[in-house]
Amino acid sequence: PSPLPPLSCGSGLSGDYISEEGHYWIGMDISPAMLDVAVEREVEGDLLLADVGHGIPFRPGMFDGCISISAVQWLCNADKKSHSPPKRLYRFFSTLYTALARGSRAVLQLYPENAEQLELITAQAMRAGFTGGMVVDYPNSTKAKKFFLCLFVGVSGTLPKGLGTECADGEEMHQAKFTNERTRFRNTKGKSVKKSRDWILEKKERRRRQGKEVRADTKYTGRKRRPRF
């Protein structure tokens, strides 16, 4: 079988599961320190130090699938003056499309900051030739909600159902779509979503998963302060 690339593989934790399932993989990451940890852990996959914003440096049709966990949203940041998020995203998606075999799939889990990031990422993926869309697990949960960009190469596939999208009586809830997410983020009459309680809770949860020390959630989390006299 063709290999599978975990993008921004870090220390290779996801690669361990891929190996257990009998797949061969090549991991890419921009952090030498994280790759050093992967080497020390003696992961079974091959490792490559690379910035995915510069593209996927492999021959056409080499991979039969791709996964990424909490990485793609970082391409929306301009860390250097020369960085253009739309160009970096298009370079990433276009070279990934080329590197994937026809009929293969890419599943990219991400944490978008707002609707604009979702729209930018999805638009560049479709511009590169992918079909597919966004799947949302537990759309009505603050902590458990996760976004997955499910992409297909060459042929249109059926998007999986997001977890937590069924009601208690077994009826299926309306699946959250990209356009609906964009509308939800813009229902604040122009105010920044970054000031909302949901955004603060999601950010704190991400930091906890990264092993950082975060204050406990309380009823005061995200509450606006009263103006001083």
Side-chain angles (χ1 to χ4, degrees), residues 119-141:
E119 184 173 6
L120 176 61
I121 292 170
T122 305
Q124 297 305 318
M126 301 307 156
R127 180 187 170 204
F130 285 105
T131 57
M134 194 71 67
V135 175
V136 184
D137 280 354
Y138 304 104
N140 295 324
S141 171

Side-chain angles (χ1 to χ4, degrees), residues 28 86 93:
M28 298 174 59
F93 282 117

Side-chain angles (χ1 to χ4, degrees), residues 7-150:
L7 304 177
S8 296
C9 63
S11 60
L13 291 177
S14 60
D16 290 342
Y17 179 78
I18 296 172
S19 297
E20 291 174 1
E21 292 297 310
H23 300 288
Y24 174 68
W25 57 274
I26 300 176
M28 298 174 59
D29 201 280
I30 195 174
S31 170
M34 294 299 289
L35 293 178
D36 287 343
V37 174
V39 172
E40 292 176 0
R41 294 182 60 249
E42 298 182 349
V43 297
E44 296 185 21
D46 291 330
L47 304 171
L48 176 65
L49 177 64
D51 178 0
V52 296
H54 293 162
I56 309 300
F58 293 97
R59 61 180 173 80
M62 181 172 178
F63 299 106
D64 60 5
C66 171
I67 65 169
S68 176
I69 301 174
S70 185
V72 177
Q73 71 272 3
W74 299 114
L75 292 176
C76 295
N77 297 342
D79 298 325
K80 299 178 181 179
K81 290 183 179 180
S82 59
H83 283 180
S84 167
K87 291 182 179 180
R88 283 170 59 78
L89 281 165
Y90 179 71
R91 177 67 177 170
F92 163 67
F93 282 117
S94 60
T95 54
L96 176 62
Y97 185 91
T98 301
L100 290 170
R102 182 177 176 83
S104 60
R105 293 176 293 174
V107 179
L108 315 174
Q109 186 266 325
L110 62 152
Y111 291 104
E113 285 192 0
N114 49 44
E116 286 70 25
Q117 278 196 1
L118 273 177
E119 184 173 6
L120 176 61
I121 292 170
T122 305
Q124 297 305 318
M126 301 307 156
R127 180 187 170 204
F130 285 105
T131 57
M134 194 71 67
V135 175
V136 184
D137 280 354
Y138 304 104
N140 295 324
S141 171
T142 299
K143 296 183 177 180
K145 182 190 296 183
K146 283 187 173 60
F147 293 83
F148 297 86
L149 184 57
C150 300

